[in-house]
């Protein structure tokens, strides 16, 4: 079992920045592929970013590429999402996800690939 707790959401004006963090416990963090997803009202959960075990490989949704950065600290068992140049369309509940024994690749962009999820943190961007 893996427990995930997100923090760092809030209200920000368009063009502003937020940093989300996700603390993991319950399993060796270095064995986990980590991802961030988001879900806006009335929409399906969508991929935002993912990172492999070492942090040496990252992937992003086209909509956030160049604005968001995912990183991890294996010593602290945390994964972060730095979000810059936020826009109203970034408004959503953001979820941290984790999976062990997952081959890193295109499959890491699918919510179905992850068994472990945090409770979510709200990000609201005003225009």
């Amino acid at each position: 079992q893996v427990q995930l707790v997100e923090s760092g959401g809030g209200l920000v004006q368009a063009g502003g920045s937020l940093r989300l963090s996700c603390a993991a416990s319950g399993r060796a963090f270095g064995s986990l592929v980590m991802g961030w997803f988001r879900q806006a009202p009335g929409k399906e959960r969508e991929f935002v970013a993912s990172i492999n075990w070492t942090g040496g490989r990252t992937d992003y949704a086209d909509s956030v590429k160049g604005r968001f950065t995912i990183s991890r600290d294996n010593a602290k068992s945390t994964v972060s999402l730095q979000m810059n140049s936020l826009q109203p369309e970034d408004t959503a509940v953001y979820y941290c996800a984790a999976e062990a024994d997952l081959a890193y690749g295109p499959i890491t962009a699918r919510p179905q690939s992850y068994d472990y999820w945090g409770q979510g943190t709200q990000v609201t961007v005003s225009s």
Side-chain angles (χ1 to χ4, degrees), residues 4 6 10 16 25 36 46 50 53 65 68 76 85 87 89 94 97-98 103 107 113 124:
L4 303 171
E6 302 102 333
S25 61
W36 285 98
E46 66 174 4
S50 62
W53 313 272
K65 206 170 290 185
F68 290 12
K76 296 182 178 179
S85 301
Q87 299 302 316
E89 52 266 33
Y94 283 70
I107 197 172
S113 298
T124 303

Side-chain angles (χ1 to χ4, degrees), residues 1-124:
Q1 283 285 55
V2 177
Q3 292 77 45
L4 303 171
V5 179
E6 302 102 333
S7 60
L11 173 65
V12 64
Q13 288 188 332
S17 298
L18 282 174
R19 185 177 181 88
L20 305 183
S21 293
C22 174
S25 61
R27 185 161 181 161
F29 186 71
S31 69
L32 301 173
V33 171
M34 302 298 297
W36 285 98
F37 292 78
R38 66 187 182 186
Q39 189 166 18
K43 295 188 176 181
E44 292 188 352
R45 191 166 298 190
E46 66 174 4
F47 171 71
V48 176
S50 62
I51 189 166
N52 75 342
W53 313 272
T54 65
R57 181 174 171 180
T58 58
D59 289 280
Y60 298 92
D62 287 343
S63 59
V64 306
K65 206 170 290 185
R67 299 188 298 123
F68 290 12
T69 303
I70 188 172
S71 61
R72 68 189 294 159
D73 185 336
N74 285 353
K76 296 182 178 179
S77 299
T78 58
V79 62
S80 298
L81 185 68
Q82 177 66 42
M83 306 185 294
N84 298 328
S85 301
L86 284 160
Q87 299 302 316
E89 52 266 33
D90 295 315
T91 295
V93 177
Y94 283 70
Y95 297 91
C96 174
E99 183 58 36
D101 303 320
L102 178 64
Y104 193 86
I107 197 172
T108 54
R110 300 173 55 196
Q112 305 93 311
S113 298
Y114 297 84
D115 281 338
Y116 305 107
W117 293 86
Q119 81 286 353
T121 185
Q122 177 71 47
V123 171
T124 303

